[in-house]
């Protein structure tokens, strides 16, 4: 079956261009040129966007204010010209080499165009809560990956102890909190140029030549290929173009930070254009490992992306994209942040254990940025792929086909005990992943009052160990595993190099048909129903075998070894089909007031445990292999307004209830790697979000967003006990009413930039000063609420100061975490539940300088 799918995929890649070109006879393109200037000063405007109205062809003005449009359209036709700080203007071109005057727009805020509904439209007109971050804004703010982007969008949460163990959530929902379990799908869709990225490790990689990031909040299953129960990231990169242009950027900062970016685009012929982009980031480690006497947790990233655009006519656009990104850091390892007294006997408390082993932590606070790790750390993360996208204009809409193959390769080595003793000496969950996806979608107008989207989507995944995953104990393991006062625990060599080698595999199939209609009942009232059918199947194989340790036939010693690691094997398959959908009512009172309400039901696919299963009385609990799908019941109301031409103010109320919530739970069994998955009976997340921005007198822009989010377990009667209750009479407890992990009740961001015209040496342009602030209140860092594993609220301030020349040259200095705030991003209980936990510590103050040139 796998070979058949590969053959189908390759045939689609090979023959789609030929088929499409056969359906559309080539049209010889012509070039229309012109110049954009300031209406008063007559100075050339560099970087203004010129787009042919109704289609995607466009150009950007060069250093002389010139633009060149390569098009098959005959004059006359209409173009739309936009430039920051100026009024957007529509002009009918009747001749070549025209000069177009733009007026300043001191009291007008730039409109933001999005593509989340598979067509270009204003973000303020869309009845979806959505946050937009432009590529330039992200670059200026130093948000070169999703982890940094979350400081600009307070409804986004991302937690990562390394690339694999990444949780990406919106409004606190999406993925399980804590260590990643491969057996379930994320609830937040991650799309780049229309291609779904299935692995959460993709969020750890550097952005490559990003045009715009759209963050959609709430279920989006009737618009996107993959079902997304919590929201979606819709990321678009800068496309290949027929007008030669490029950008180069170099940054240098403390901790040896160096980042280089480059991008070039231009025509290869009158129908074929190309774009190639590169990014590389290096930074020294922000922690020091006293065991190896070397820095740790550095950055060593590189990525390249290439595009080919084939445009045989204005009705056909075919894009071939290939990319690869690679991370090879020395990391990640984390310090012990604290010790929890458990309900185990006194000799089983962490401090007593390390005292008996004559060990003492070489630091008193995680914020000293010192670790003591006896296992070398590695987190090699590689991700790449190829996609072929075809857009064909048919009738009143566009037929889109997106075919993609992607891969992920993960090669880690971790110190799971977080200390310098040989407790867990090897933790290497080597994995390799292949995915194939195909989406066919039609979006457009059905009649004057009816438009919509309908599509088919298929996703096939193969995730397996590469070739095995290894966990190994060391000579100090006996003291951490000791559960009685028997002298047998001290048997020499009992646990030395005792471990497990695991082979596992998940083969997943996800198929869907979806559609959404926009019915304009009147010019002001729109009804938008949507429906989706999903089918998901997962086939899992798991086998682990023990090795090493003292070779013995003594039943008592074998029983002690089995308390740490045992052989385990199981095969299982799960499948589920379901219908979901939504209904939105939209009321546009005017161009400045857009109200909407949405009710939706959605499903997060069925899951399977693949990291090992807990045991009871020596028997594997096979019933836990299957994880029931989530049933999501979602309601929200929102209002998008433009109180004045230079301001935007939006507010949204949302309420989400989830039955059979998929959650990650920890167990004291070391062999259950990364914990295991379970279903909480019911959870609820309710909140209010407010965001807005304003432009003042064409020299000051301000933006702000605030979110109140309350997430609770409504019912979870059989949850594992928190760390401090380990060793008590009960292994499970009722945590109904407890807080969901990772959710701050209050979070917010505020930013602004002030500009002033001036000169730097002989360059004309604008000086600018920008500040971004981010705040979040305290939150739980444990799936079962713990009085110890809570993270205090914190604030971060980032700033930049520099000059943007009209010639395309920019230079600015920047600082992140300006006031050097100490804060945790996550707290993680160590395996074995001895009582200690690690702290994922946020970056310290960093600063540097960036030079950029665009043309």
């Amino acid at each position: 079956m796998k070979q058949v799918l590969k053959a189908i995929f390759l045939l689609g890649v090979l023959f789609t261009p030929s088929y499409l070109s056969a359906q559309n006879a080539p049209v010889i393109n012509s070039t229309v040129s012109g110049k954009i200037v300031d209406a008063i000063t007559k100075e050339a405007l560099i970087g203004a966007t010129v787009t042919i109205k109704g289609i995607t062809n466009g150009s950007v003005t060069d250093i002389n204010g010139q633009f060149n449009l390569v098009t098959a359209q005959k004059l006359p036709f209409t173009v739309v010209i936009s430039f920051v700080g100026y009024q957007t203007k529509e002009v009918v071109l009747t001749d070549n080499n025209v000069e177009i005057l733009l007026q300043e727009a001191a009291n007008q805020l730039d409109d933001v165009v999005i593509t989340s509904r598979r067509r270009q439209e204003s973000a303020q007109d869309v009845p979806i809560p959505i946050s937009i971050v432009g590529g330039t804004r992200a670059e200026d703010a130093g948000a070169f990956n999703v982890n940094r982007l979350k400081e600009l969008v307070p409804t986004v949460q991302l937690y990562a102890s390394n690339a694999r163990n990444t949780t990406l959530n919106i409004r606190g929902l999406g993925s399980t909190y804590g260590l990643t379990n491969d057996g379930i799908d994320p609830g937040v869709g991650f799309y780049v140029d229309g291609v779904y990225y299935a692995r959460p490790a993709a969020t750890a990689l550097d952005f490559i030549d990003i045009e715009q990031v759209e963050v959609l909040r709430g279920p989006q299953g009737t618009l996107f290929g993959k079902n997304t129960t919590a929201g979606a990231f819709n990321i678009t990169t800068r496309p290949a173009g027929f007008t030669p242009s490029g950008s180069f950027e170099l940054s240098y900062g403390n901790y040896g930070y160096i980042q280089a970016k480059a991008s070039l685009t231009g025509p290869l012929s009158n129908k074929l254009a190309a774009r190639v982009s590169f990014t590389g980031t290096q930074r020294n480690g922000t922690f020091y490992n006293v065991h190896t006497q070397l820095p740790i947790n550095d950055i060593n990233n590189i990525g390249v992306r290439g595009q080919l655009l084939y445009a045989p006519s204005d009705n056909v656009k075919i894009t071939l994209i290939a990319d690869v990104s690679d991370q090879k850091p020395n990391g990640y390892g984390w310090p012990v942040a604290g010790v929890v007294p458990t309900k185990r006997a006194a000799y089983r408390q962490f401090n007593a254990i390390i005292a008996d082993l004559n060990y003492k932590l070489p630091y008193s606070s995680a914020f000293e940025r010192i670790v003591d790790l006896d296992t070398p750390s590695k987190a090699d993360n590689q991700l790449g792929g190829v996609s072929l996208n075809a857009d064909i204009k048919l009738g009143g809409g566009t037929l889109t086909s997106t075919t993609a193959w992607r891969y992920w390769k993960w090669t880690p080595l971790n110190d799971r005990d977080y200390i310098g003793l040989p407790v867990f000496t090897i933790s290497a969950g080597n994995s390799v992943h292949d995915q194939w996806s195909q989406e066919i979608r039609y979006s457009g107008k059905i009649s004057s009052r009816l438009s919509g989207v309908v599509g088919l989507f298929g996703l096939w995944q193969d995730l397996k160990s590469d070739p095995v995953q290894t966990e190994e104990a060391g000579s100090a393991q006996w003291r951490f595993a000791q559960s009685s006062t028997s002298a047998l625990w001290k048997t020499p060599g009992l646990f030395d190099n005792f471990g497990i080698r695991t082979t596992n595999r998940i083969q997943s199939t996800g198929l869907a048909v979806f559609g959404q209609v926009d019915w304009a009942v009147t010019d002001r009232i729109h009804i938008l129903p949507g429906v989706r059918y999903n089918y998901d199947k997962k086939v899992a194989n798991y086998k682990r075998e023990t090795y090493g340790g003292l070779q013995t036939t003594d039943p008592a010693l074998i029983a002690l070894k089995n308390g740490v690691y045992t052989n385990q094997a199981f095969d299982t398959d799960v499948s589920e089909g379901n219908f979901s959908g939504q209904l939105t009512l939209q009321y546009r009172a005017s161009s400045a007031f857009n109200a909407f309400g949405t009710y939706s039901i959605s499903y997060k696919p069925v899951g399977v445990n693949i990291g090992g299963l807990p045991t009871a009385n020596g028997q594997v609990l096979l019933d836990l292999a299957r994880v029931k799908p989530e049933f999501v019941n979602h309601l929200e109301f929102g209002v998008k307004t433009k109180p004045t031409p230079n301001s935007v103010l939006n507010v949204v109320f949302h309420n989400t209830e989830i039955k059979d919530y998929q959650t990650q739970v920890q167990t004291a069994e070391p062999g259950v790697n990364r914990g295991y998955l379970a279903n909480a009976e019911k959870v609820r997340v309710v909140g209010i979000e407010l965001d807005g921005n304003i432009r003042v007198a064409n020299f000051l822009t301000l933006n702000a967003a605030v979110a109140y989010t309350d997430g609770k377990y409504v019912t979870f009667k059989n949850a594992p006990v928190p760390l401090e209750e380990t060793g008590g009479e009960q292994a499970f407890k009722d945590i109904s009413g407890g807080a969901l992990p990772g959710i701050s009740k209050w979070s917010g961001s505020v930013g602004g930039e002030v500009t002033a015209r001036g000169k730097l040496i002989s360059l004309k342009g604008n000086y600018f000063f920008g500040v971004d602030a981010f705040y979040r209140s305290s939150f739980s860092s444990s799936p079962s609420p713990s009085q110890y594993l809570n993270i205090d609220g914190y604030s971060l301030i980032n700033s930049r100061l520099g000059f943007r020349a009209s010639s395309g040259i920019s230079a600015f200095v920047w600082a992140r975490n300006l006031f050097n705030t100490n804060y945790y991003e996550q707290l993680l209980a160590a395996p074995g539940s001895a009582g200690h936990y690690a702290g994922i510590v946020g970056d310290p103050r960093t600063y540097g300088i960036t030079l950029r040139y665009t043309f």
Side-chain angles (χ1 to χ4, degrees), residues 135 139 144 192-193 206-212 235-240 246-247 261-265 275-279 303 305 307:
E139 289 165 351
F144 59 83
V192 180
D193 291 330
D206 291 0
F207 291 146
I208 304 177
D209 212 10
I210 293 297
E211 176 76 18
Q212 185 165 279
I235 299 175
T236 53
T237 66
R238 296 182 176 109
S247 65
K261 298 179 182 180
S263 181
L264 286 170
T265 188
R275 187 180 194 98
V276 61
S277 308
F278 164 85
T279 180
R305 186 179 187 86
Q307 300 185 50

Side-chain angles (χ1 to χ4, degrees), residues 72 98 102 114-115 124 295 334 416 451 465 496 582 631 645 696 832-833 855:
V98 297
L102 283 193
I114 64 169
T115 60
Q124 286 299 105
W334 304 104
R416 290 184 72 200
S451 63
S465 51
D496 291 11
Q582 70 166 53
F631 172 67
V696 181
S833 301
F855 67 93

